[in-house]
Amino acid sequence: MLGGGQLGLMLMQQAACYNLNVHILDPDPNAPAKNLCTKFTCGDFKDYETVLEFGKNKDILTIEIEHVNTDALKKLKEQGKKIYPDPEILETIQDKGLQKMFLQKNNIPTPDFFLIEKKTDIEKYKNFFPFVQKLRKGGYDGKGVFKLNHIHQIESAFDAPSLLERKVEIKHEISVIVARNSRGETKTFPSVMCEFHPEANLVEFLYSPSGIPKKTEKKASEVAIQIVEKMNFFGLMAVEFFINKDGEVLVNELAPRVHNSGHHTIEGNITSQFDQFWRSILDLPLGDTSTIRPAVMINLLGEPGHSGKTKYIGLENVLQFKGVYVHLYNKIETRPMRKMGHITITGETIEQAIEKAKMIKKLIKVICD
Ligand code: ADP
């Protein structure tokens, strides 16, 4: 597995249930998943030679982060290795321009866009403002996204290959996780509603069930399945959607892996996204994705102004609540807004879970020692 962050850590917890021997490659000598995998190599998954060497003696290669060296993965594929997701698909998804072109070509609903090479190209589209500028490569968690509401903001825009996406009047942001195995079997998880932190562009609260109308739920699920089928994708993918003011679903972006918007499935659904991931790439039957109970997920983010050795405050208070599950990510250093853990709060009803989650959020903090 390329990458050993928190997604890797939770994948390892599930890998133990299937007797899997997983060897992880990650540049961080203290990567969160390091102590849970069978073998750990400290190295750069963006480097061609490192990935090629790492893949030499493996049966199956996979990822928990999409920003990896795909040339090395393509070479390993030529050598007969099984690679999930397919490196060509990874290349399409790594580049937001190619990703959007794929969606457009396949008539998948997504906001209109233009591709540009450099900042001065934005002038050409001044009649189409407002836009959201997105770097084609390397962006994550809102880094690489710039909101361009007026022409006079061009000065502060990115000067790099990017896409200019029409600004959507967003009513809600939802996410649907879909899995497909090599028998061609597909399954989606019920959608979740994502509420973002106003400054950090990270999910602050996630609600399951999302509460969107049945018709919209059906449409989002159909679109997610259409994407993995058209791509001939095997594995697990998160599809992020906007719901606009007319109630239409538009694909925002794709993540070809387990995702932050599926963490609640560990306690909230019959099969977790981590279980479903292993089933999909090991060609096992996909699990039932039904919701067991309503859940809210909150990300534990590093407190602003705190950089250094991690300290969690308020854990004891949080654990006094019923139906609350804490996941800490084993990160030695905290930084402002860094994802340091998450908490899933379950309830008899979603309203009850929300009420508990709001209290819990105030009780816990991640600071430096
Ligand atoms: P990242 O890949 O870094 O998470 P996203 O493409 O998801 O970036 O964009 C981050 C946030 O910016 C979205 O969650 C959404 O709130 C806002 N955003 C992105 N695209 C648009 C758009 N076309 N119109 C309006 N808001 C947008």
Side-chain angles (χ1 to χ4, degrees), residues 3 6 36 40 54 56 59 88 111 118 134 143 164 171 190-191 208 240 268 270 283 294 311 321 334 346:
Q6 64 266 19
L36 281 96
F40 180 81
F54 179 80
K56 250 184 10 198
D59 305 312
E88 319 258 343
K118 51 189 188 310
K134 299 182 180 182
K143 297 177 182 74
L164 293 181
K171 197 156 102 197
S191 72
S208 166
E240 295 180 31
I270 291 181
D283 204 18
K311 187 175 175 182
F321 285 81
T334 182
T346 59

Side-chain angles (χ1 to χ4, degrees), residues 75 119 184:
K75 187 80 196 164
K119 188 153 69 175

Side-chain angles (χ1 to χ4, degrees), residues 56-330:
K56 250 184 10 198
N57 58 354
K58 307 291 182 289
D59 305 312
I60 302 181
L61 281 125
T62 189
I63 54 146
E64 62 100 62
I65 179 166
E66 56 272 38
H67 302 296
V68 296
N69 192 297
T70 47
D71 288 334
L73 290 179
K74 282 198 272 189
K75 187 80 196 164
L76 289 162
K77 185 181 163 190
E78 266 173 44
Q79 293 171 1
K81 302 286 179 195
K82 287 184 178 171
I83 304 183
Y84 302 106
D86 186 273
E88 319 258 343
I89 297 180
L90 269 184
E91 263 177 5
T92 303
I93 293 181
Q94 276 178 348
D95 178 338
K96 285 193 178 181
L98 296 179
Q99 194 188 124
K100 290 285 285 189
M101 284 194 275
F102 165 84
L103 297 171
Q104 194 181 53
K105 201 174 99 204
N106 289 285
N107 292 321
I108 301 206
T110 188
D112 292 339
F113 66 100
F114 300 102
L115 296 179
I116 58 161
E117 283 303 311
K118 51 189 188 310
K119 188 153 69 175
T120 48
D121 295 343
I122 303 174
E123 300 270 355
K124 279 191 251 168
Y125 302 103
K126 61 183 176 205
N127 295 332
F128 298 103
F129 269 80
F131 287 115
V132 178
Q133 184 190 20
K134 299 182 180 182
L135 289 180
R136 286 185 66 162
K137 287 197 168 173
Y140 68 98
D141 289 346
K143 297 177 182 74
V145 174
F146 181 70
K147 293 188 177 138
L148 263 165
N149 292 316
H150 301 286
I151 189 108
H152 66 255
Q153 288 174 311
I154 292 183
E155 206 36 49
S156 321
F158 295 115
D159 194 12
S162 41
L163 60 102
L164 293 181
E165 195 173 271
R166 291 294 272 279
K167 188 174 176 180
V168 177
E169 278 193 56
I170 303 172
K171 197 156 102 197
H172 299 299
E173 296 196 41
I174 63 159
S175 165
V176 173
I177 291 176
V178 57
R180 182 166 183 262
N181 63 16
S182 59
R183 307 170 193 190
E185 192 190 350
T186 54
K187 263 199 177 115
T188 52
F189 281 85
S191 72
V192 295
M193 174 90 66
C194 306
E195 212 174 280
F196 286 83
H197 187 284
E199 292 136 51
N201 249 330
L202 291 165
V203 169
E204 193 169 26
F205 290 101
L206 176 144
Y207 308 107
S208 166
S210 64
I212 60 170
K214 269 213 174 82
K215 206 175 100 201
T216 319
E217 176 78 27
K218 185 163 172 279
K219 177 72 186 169
S221 170
E222 281 167 4
V223 170
I225 290 175
Q226 208 184 345
I227 292 170
V228 287
E229 286 185 342
K230 288 260 165 70
M231 269 189 170
N232 202 20
F233 177 92
F234 299 116
L236 184 133
M237 179 187 284
V239 183
E240 295 180 31
F241 291 93
F242 298 132
I243 303 182
N244 69 13
K245 59 175 188 357
D246 300 321
E248 291 164 336
V249 293
L250 300 168
V251 174
N252 172 22
E253 60 171 347
L254 312 176
R257 52 170 167 78
V258 288
H259 194 249
N260 195 196
S261 64
H263 293 352
H264 67 288
T265 57
I266 300 175
E267 293 91 5
N269 294 60
I270 291 181
T271 305
S272 77
Q273 65 161 342
F274 302 99
D275 189 353
Q276 197 76 313
F277 167 79
W278 290 121
R279 288 167 181 247
S280 67
I281 74 159
L282 299 172
D283 204 18
L284 297 166
L286 298 178
D288 182 348
T289 57
S290 309
T291 306
I292 305 171
R293 48 191 170 173
V296 175
M297 194 269 325
I298 54 176
N299 279 323
L300 289 180
L301 304 177
E303 196 65 14
H306 287 256
S307 294
K309 194 161 170 281
T310 308
K311 187 175 175 182
Y312 295 92
I313 293 193
L315 215 51
E316 288 200 14
N317 298 333
V318 168
L319 291 172
Q320 282 171 20
F321 285 81
K322 198 171 121 184
V324 168
Y325 304 88
V326 173
H327 296 256
L328 306 181
Y329 295 160
N330 204 15

